[in-house]
Structures are given as structure tokens and as C-alpha cells.
Amino acid sequence: MQIELVKAYRDSRAHCRITGFPNFGDGLPALEREVHKAMGLVTDDDATDGDGETDEAGTEELDGLVMEGIEHLKSMMEGVPGGQRVAKLLDQIDLAGDDDDADEDVGEEEEDDPDLYDVYYEDSRVWQEAHRERLDVFLRSWPAVRGRVLDAAFTYYRDHYEDIWAFWGGEDHDKLTLPDPTDRSVVEDLFRIDAFYLREAPNNMGISGHCTWDDEHGFGAVIKDGEVEVFGQASDAF
């Protein structure tokens, strides 16, 4: 596994690209697409194009209609008292929309990179080589730790399943992402690590990310000396 610093922030956080990391949740995007299809939110035709990429034609058409509407409103303001001020406000809305699109493009690129992770550290506000070394030590131990994390995830999922289904489930399609807790293999595609926390205590690492059983709070775990000490919500990893 290789660690590449992508960007460091002055708030005890960095973005790192970690290649070769055996994460969980490889099948999660496909499961969630199946749920959306079952709910009628997307279809095979309008969800993807021939290359499997998201079809943006509908979004571009909507943007065009919005622009036409703005231009139409501006023309209606000609000769109207206060119309020039309204037209200027409409221009600002247009410009703000362009900036938002640019920001969204950057965000989408990051979201589409499965090797990009947040790394947090408590002992400093700035990224240091020591943080890379600590993360590298943990990643080298991961092949032995991964199965223990999966066991802990399944135990949590099984023990809380009744409440999980009552709150997040209820429909037939929900079984795609909230299957019955028969064995640990059912949860392997239901959660994914997005962040690592280099906790202040030595040999103490937090992990957190998205999971299907708690879309609001996510999952979190603390691993100490290679053992899963805590498994719960994302806040437990801090």
C-alpha cells in the first residue's frame, strides 16, 4: 500500500490517496443503485450512458432552461422602475451558479476517487512525516486486523438489527442494503472506510465511514494494538 499526501489543511486534517488498501463496501454503489431503481428514482436508461458514466444530458437541458428563464425575466425588467436593479441581481444569480458548478465538479472528482481518504491527527495542526509513518504502520497491520473489524461490524449489525430495520427499513427493496444478519459475509458490502483518526494514545487508530444501517451517523471503530476496542457510530472513532 502506498500513501500519497494530496492536500494538508491547518485544522489537523489531510487528504491522502492510499492505493492498494483492501477496504470494505466494493459492492455498495451497485446495491444502492438497485435500491434507487426499485424506488423508481432512476432507470437503466437514464442512470448511465453507454460507458457506464452518469448521463448529464438532463442536467444540461435543465441548466439551459434556467438560463432562458433568467434572460426572459431580464427582458421583462426593461423600462420598469427598478428594473435595472433586478436585472443586476439576476446577473449575480447567474454568476453564483457558475461558481457553484465549478465547486461541485471538484467535489465530485474527489468523491469518485475510491483511494482518497481523510486523515485526522490530534497531536498537531499541521501534517508531519510522523503522521505518514503512523498511518503506514497501521496499514501494514491491516491484513491481520481487517477480519476482526468485519467480525465487529457483523456483531454490531446483528445485535442492533431489529432497531435498524424498524428505523431504516420496512420496504422490500430495503432488504438489498439491510439484509438479514445471517453471517458476517452479509455486511462486507454494507460499509466503507472513508477516514482514519491518528488518536493521541499510542497504537490507537480510529476509522469511520458510510454504512447502510445508519445513513445519518455512519459507523466508527477504535482499534488498539490490533484489536477492535469499540465499534459503533462515526463519532466513536474520534
Side-chain angles (χ1 to χ4, degrees):
M1 286 175 271
Q2 294 183 335
I3 303 170
E4 174 194 352
L5 176 64
V6 175
K7 186 172 182 178
Y9 303 88
R10 290 191 174 274
D11 61 354
S12 303
R13 175 174 63 100
H15 277 151
C16 289
R17 182 171 289 106
I18 304 173
T19 55
F21 176 64
N23 205 332
F24 303 99
D26 290 342
L28 183 55
L31 287 174
E32 292 181 333
R33 281 196 299 271
E34 288 299 315
V35 171
H36 294 160
K37 285 166 58 179
M39 295 173 66
L41 299 178
V42 297
T43 66
D44 288 333
D45 292 334
D46 63 16
T48 59
D49 60 22
D51 296 326
E53 298 295 333
T54 301
D55 185 359
E56 298 180 357
T59 302
E60 292 175 357
E61 182 179 355
L62 180 60
D63 289 345
L65 290 173
V66 171
M67 291 297 299
E68 289 179 10
I70 289 174
E71 292 300 320
H72 179 65
L73 287 172
K74 286 164 64 177
S75 67
M76 292 176 61
M77 292 298 102
E78 294 179 3
V80 177
Q84 288 185 340
R85 176 177 176 79
V86 174
K88 287 182 179 180
L89 289 173
L90 290 170
D91 284 335
Q92 291 175 7
I93 292 172
D94 180 21
L95 291 172
D98 288 342
D99 289 341
D100 288 345
D101 287 345
D103 290 343
E104 288 175 4
D105 288 343
V106 173
E108 287 171 2
E109 287 178 4
E110 291 186 351
E111 289 179 2
D112 290 341
D113 187 346
D115 294 331
L116 194 64
Y117 297 86
D118 284 320
V119 180
Y120 298 85
Y121 29 93
E122 297 181 344
D123 59 345
S124 171
R125 290 184 59 83
V126 296
W127 175 261
Q128 299 175 4
E129 187 59 28
H131 298 136
R132 184 196 302 273
E133 293 172 359
R134 277 196 63 188
L135 183 58
D136 182 62
V137 168
F138 175 76
L139 294 176
R140 282 191 273 115
S141 72
W142 180 247
V145 174
R146 188 180 187 277
R148 297 167 194 160
V149 174
L150 186 58
D151 285 338
F154 172 68
T155 299
Y156 180 92
Y157 181 75
R158 181 197 62 202
D159 293 349
H160 294 82
Y161 187 74
E162 186 175 341
D163 292 335
I164 290 169
W165 182 254
F167 192 82
W168 296 103
E171 302 291 340
D172 290 343
H173 59 252
D174 292 324
K175 283 293 183 182
L176 292 167
T177 51
L178 295 174
D180 293 328
T182 53
D183 60 71
R184 75 175 199 166
S185 66
V186 303
V187 302
E188 184 149 10
D189 278 336
L190 305 185
F191 71 111
R192 183 173 180 83
I193 299 168
D194 297 327
F196 298 91
Y197 300 85
L198 308 180
R199 295 162 63 92
E200 196 165 0
N203 302 321
N204 203 318
M205 177 71 72
I207 56 175
S208 71
H210 171 62
C211 64
T212 63
W213 60 80
D214 193 338
D215 196 46
E216 181 178 354
H217 302 101
F219 87 92
V222 175
I223 300 161
K224 184 176 181 181
D225 295 323
E227 300 293 334
V228 181
E229 191 172 65
V230 176
F231 193 100
Q233 297 179 341
S235 58
D236 294 318
F238 300 166

